[in-house]
Amino acid sequence: MEGEGGGEGEEEAEDAVVLSSRLLRGRRQQVDVRLTRRVLTWKDVNKTTKCGNVGFGHFSGTAACPRIQVCEIVAVQDGDGTHPITEPAEGEAVAKQHKKPHPHAFTVCYVRRSAQHRWLSRDVTFCCGHQSLQRQWITAVQQNLALLSNRPRSLLVFINPHGGRQLAVWIYDRKVAPLFARAGISADVIITERANHARDHLREQRGNLDKYDGVVCVGGDGMFSEVLHGLVSGTQANHGVDQDRPDARLVPCSLRIGIIPAGSTDCVCYSTTGTNDPVTSALHIILGDSQPMDVCSVHSDAAFLRYSVSLLGYGFYGDVLANSERNRWMGPLRYDLAGVRTFLSHQYYEGSVWFVPAPETQRLPGVREQCVARCHVCQQGSCSEKMELKHLSDDEDKFIKGSGGEWRVVQGKFLAINMATMSCACPRSPQGLSPSAHLADGTADLILVRGCSRFGFFRHLLRHTNADDQFDHSFVEVHRVRRFRFQPKNQQLCVAPEDPSGAEKGTKTHTFSPICRAGEEVPAQSTWTCDGEMLPHAAIQVRVQGKLIRLFARGIEHQ
C-alpha cells in the first residue's frame, strides 16, 4: 500500500493489530478474530476464501471475512448479549436465548445499515476458551472505544408527550433508552408539561449545561424548535450578543442537538439522516456524529421574531397553517383539509422581495448537487461568508437606494414565497421543497411562485411528491441567497432621516410605513409560517447564520 509522507506511517499505526485470537462465533463456528485501531474483523477458519485487502467500508468485507469499523461499534459486554431491541447477526441462531449462556462469551453491538437510510443495532457473539481471554478482548475493545472522544457520555433529554401520535414516551422508553444504557450514556429526562417548557428551561439553566455533552429532543419539529431557541438564545445571552440587532453575528452553540423523531412530519430529522426512524437517530447520537447546520434569524424592523432551520413560507404555505389553526381539534388531518381549501382559493399576494444572492460558485440553477454526508459544498461554502457579508451591514440608506450594488429586487404578484434552509424533505415529499438546498453552506434557497393557473400550480405541488423538477415552470424562479427582505404591497421602504440628532434624542425611525390612504382598499396580506409557527408581521428581514448549531447526525449517506 503506497502513501505520501507521514500519512502512510500514521495509517500503518492505526492498522497495527491490537489483539488476535482463534475463537468460536456462536458455539460451533471457529473463526480467527482480529482487532486493530480501526476495524474488528473475523473469518471462518474452515473457509478457503481469503479476506484480501477489502478496504474499510462500514460493515464490509465478504461473507467469509466480515469487518466492522471500530467507530461504529456501539458497545461490548460479557455474555451472549441477549437484548430486547437487537437482533442476532446474520447466520447466528435465533434460539440462542433459550440456551445456557457460554461462561466465557462476549458480545459486540454494532451498527448495520439497512434500506432507505435506516440503521440497525446488531450483535455478534464470540466465545473464548477461558475467562482471562474473555476479559482481554472486552478490555481491548473498550480501550479502542475510549479513544473516540466525540461520543457523548451525558445527555439532557426533553420528551414531548403530546406531539404527533403521542407516542414519544413509549418510543424513548422502548427503543432509545435501552440503547443509551447499553452504550454507557447517562440521561437526565424531562417530560415537558406545557408549550415552550424546553425553551424556558434551557434559557434559565444556560449557565449549568456544561455537565452535558448534548441535548436530545423526543418529539416533532416543534419540539426541536423549542430546544433550538433555548440553546441559541442562551448562548447569545452568555456572550452578550443582542438578538434584536438584525446585523448581529451570532455565536455558535457548543452543545450538539439530537432528534428522536416522534412527530407528524419530522422534517428536520428526515432532511439530516434520510429517515425518521428513532433507532437510527439514537445510533447517530451514540456514535457522536456531528453535522453543522445553518439557522436563519428573522426580524421585523429592529425586533427579533424567531429562528428558522427549515421553511419560511408566505402565501400558500402561510395560508395553509393559518387555516389549519382553526381546526386543531381534527389533529394532523387538519393540514390536508386546510391545504385543499387554500389551493381552491388560489389567492395571490403583491409585494417586493429584496435579496442578496450567494457568490457565483454557490448559485442556482446549473448542476443541482444535493447535500450528502461529508458534503464538500458545505465544507467550502461558508469560507468566504465574512468577506461577502462585510459590506452588507451598511446603513439602511444604501439598502433602499441600491447603492451597495448587492441587493436585488423582484416585484409582482405571488402565490407563494418560500425560503428553505434545507431540503425540507419528509416521507410525503422525499425530495423536499428544495432538493438541492444545503445544510451548512451559509445560504438558503428563495423560491418565488408567481401568479399562474390552478392547473399549473397543481402540477408544481404534485412534483414535490415525485422525482420531477418542481422548479421547471415558467412561473417559478429560485435564487440562492444569504439575506432576504419582504415588503407587502401596502407598505413601502422609507429613507431614514439623515439628521443623526433624532437618534440621539431617542426618537425611533420606522423602516416601513403604510401607503394606502383612508378609504382605499388594502391589498390582501398572507401570514408567514416559520417552521410551523405563525409570525405576527408580514414585513420581515432574514439573515442566514452559518453553522450556528450542530446536530448528532452526519447528513444523508449515499446508498
Side-chain angles (χ1 to χ4, degrees), residues 126-342:
F126 300 102
C127 300
C128 304
H130 48 84
Q131 185 178 15
S132 61
L133 184 59
Q134 175 203 39
R135 296 312 308 170
Q136 190 177 2
W137 269 100
I138 293 175
T139 301
V141 176
Q142 289 176 339
Q143 288 176 344
N144 267 13
L145 295 180
L147 297 175
L148 305 174
S149 58
N150 60 321
R151 295 197 172 190
R153 289 292 174 257
S154 179
L155 297 171
L156 176 60
V157 179
F158 291 98
I159 303 177
N160 177 12
H162 305 295
R165 293 176 292 172
Q166 302 182 1
L167 294 175
V169 175
W170 182 89
I171 287 173
Y172 181 78
D173 289 343
R174 295 291 297 273
K175 295 189 174 184
V176 179
L179 277 173
F180 283 177
R182 199 174 192 191
I185 297 175
S186 63
D188 291 339
V189 179
I190 298 176
I191 299 179
T192 58
E193 300 174 351
R194 55 179 172 80
N196 294 320
H197 184 171
R199 182 200 67 182
D200 296 342
H201 181 88
L202 290 170
R203 285 178 176 175
E204 294 166 2
Q205 300 296 320
R206 65 178 186 268
N208 303 315
L209 299 176
D210 292 341
K211 61 182 178 180
Y212 299 112
D213 300 312
V215 180
V216 175
C217 55
V218 187
D221 294 327
M223 189 63 188
F224 169 78
S225 183
E226 280 195 37
V227 171
L228 166 72
H229 281 80
L231 281 180
V232 174
S233 298
T235 300
Q236 308 321 306
N238 288 340
H239 289 82
V241 178
D242 185 3
Q243 294 182 105
D244 285 330
R245 289 179 50 200
D247 61 341
R249 295 283 298 177
L250 302 185
V251 178
C253 300
S254 58
L255 290 178
R256 284 171 288 178
I257 304 175
I259 308 173
I260 303 298
S264 302
T265 307
D266 300 312
C267 167
V268 179
C269 182
Y270 196 96
S271 297
T272 53
T273 65
T275 181
N276 57 352
D277 174 57
V279 171
T280 300
S281 294
L283 292 171
H284 278 289
I285 295 171
I286 291 171
L287 299 189
D289 285 341
S290 183
Q291 170 63 54
M293 193 161 71
D294 299 334
V295 177
C296 289
S297 55
V298 186
H299 293 76
S300 181
D301 283 337
F304 168 74
L305 298 180
R306 287 188 69 85
Y307 293 114
S308 171
V309 296
S310 54
L311 171 66
L312 269 168
Y314 185 85
F316 179 77
Y317 289 104
D319 291 350
V320 168
L321 180 63
N323 290 333
S324 69
E325 289 298 302
R326 305 187 185 101
N327 299 291
R328 293 189 65 88
W329 58 272
M330 296 180 63
L333 185 61
R334 69 183 185 274
Y335 296 112
D336 295 329
L337 177 62
V340 172
R341 293 179 59 183
T342 304

Side-chain angles (χ1 to χ4, degrees), residues 518-549:
E520 291 185 8
E521 181 181 356
V522 178
Q525 283 193 24
S526 179
T527 302
W528 281 99
T529 172
C530 178
D531 295 1
E533 298 292 333
M534 290 188 294
L535 298 182
H537 301 279
I540 64 171
Q541 49 188 308
V542 183
R543 178 175 181 171
V544 181
Q545 304 281 349
K547 300 182 179 179
L548 191 63
I549 61 173

